Amino acid sequence: MKLVVVSAGLSVPSSTRLLGDRLAAAVGRAAEVDTQVVELRELAVEIAQNFTNGFPGRALAAAQEAVAAADGLIVVTPVFSASYSGLFKSFFDVLDPEALAGKPVLIAATGGSARHSLVLEHALRPLFAYLKAVVVPTGVYAASEDWGAEGLDGRIERAAGELTALMAGLSGGRSDEVPAGRAPRAARADAFSAVVPFEEQLAALRPTG
């Protein structure tokens, strides 16, 4: 199975990368995985250029392909202004909207204070739910005081076990066949895909006489 770690840490060394490595190691102890790390710090310029010209550079395109092909993801961001970092969000903004559909994702974050731990639930989980990913129940937040403290290892192992189970289940059940009674993905309509522009809605309300 292929595991991809997306780390949005900015410093070297980075506690964000360290948390991602520890989570990946825990998954590796539970199953045989081929792990690849995507360091967003190294892709910052190409991500910005993608917004302005609409095309990914070579390194960014390779990262996008790795994420799309992964059996599971570990995503880790530092907390900025009580949410995920701009670099972290920007990477997923330039990703294909369907790249994470049905993909198991373990969410994690690092911060200076335990007060930011709810970033997992109010920012990260809604983002990946919107991207149609399957987010594991246990998210992992590590504040500065958590490193070396009791409790972090247990959360890492529990979250890694949940991700491993999802990855194994989905990779073992892959098939090109469409289940009976279910339309192929291309034929299944997204209830929110057809959006009528606001100007058209206003025009429909204007008197015609």
Side-chain angles (χ1 to χ4, degrees):
M1 296 186 294
K2 183 176 181 181
L3 174 68
V4 172
V5 179
V6 178
S7 171
L10 298 179
S11 59
V12 180
S14 162
S15 61
T16 301
R17 171 64 188 271
L18 176 59
L19 180 57
D21 287 344
R22 289 183 63 176
L23 287 163
V27 173
R29 288 191 292 271
E32 186 174 343
V33 291
D34 177 18
T35 302
Q36 178 179 347
V37 178
V38 173
E39 281 278 12
L40 299 187
R41 176 176 54 84
E42 300 172 356
L43 302 174
V45 172
E46 291 192 15
I47 291 172
Q49 290 174 338
N50 195 167
F51 279 113
T52 58
N53 62 26
F55 298 97
R58 182 176 300 176
L60 176 57
Q64 292 172 329
E65 291 172 5
V67 168
D71 293 298
L73 296 179
I74 294 171
V75 298
V76 196
T77 178
V79 174
F80 286 169
S81 301
S83 187
Y84 36 63
S85 72
L87 179 60
F88 181 86
K89 179 62 163 56
S90 295
F91 174 73
F92 291 101
D93 282 344
V94 299
L95 201 63
D96 184 285
E98 294 296 318
L100 300 188
K103 195 179 300 294
V105 175
L106 191 167
I107 55 174
T110 59
S113 167
R115 291 177 296 177
H116 293 302
S117 60
L118 285 178
V119 69
L120 297 172
E121 305 304 325
H122 73 66
L124 285 166
R125 196 175 296 277
L127 170 63
F128 289 97
Y130 173 79
L131 293 173
K132 306 183 186 74
V134 181
V135 185
V136 304
T138 302
V140 180
Y141 177 81
S144 298
E145 63 266 26
D146 286 327
W147 297 103
E150 186 177 350
L152 179 58
D153 287 344
R155 297 198 300 275
I156 287 174
E157 293 295 333
R158 182 168 62 251
E162 293 167 355
L163 179 63
T164 302
L166 280 174
M167 289 172 64
L170 292 179
S171 64
R174 284 180 175 173
S175 173
D176 294 331
E177 298 180 0
V178 178
R182 188 175 184 186
R185 174 178 291 182
R188 297 200 299 271
D190 186 335
F192 299 99
S193 61
V195 178
V196 179
F198 187 58
E199 293 81 0
E200 292 184 19
Q201 296 185 46
L202 286 178
L205 297 176
R206 295 192 186 104
T208 56

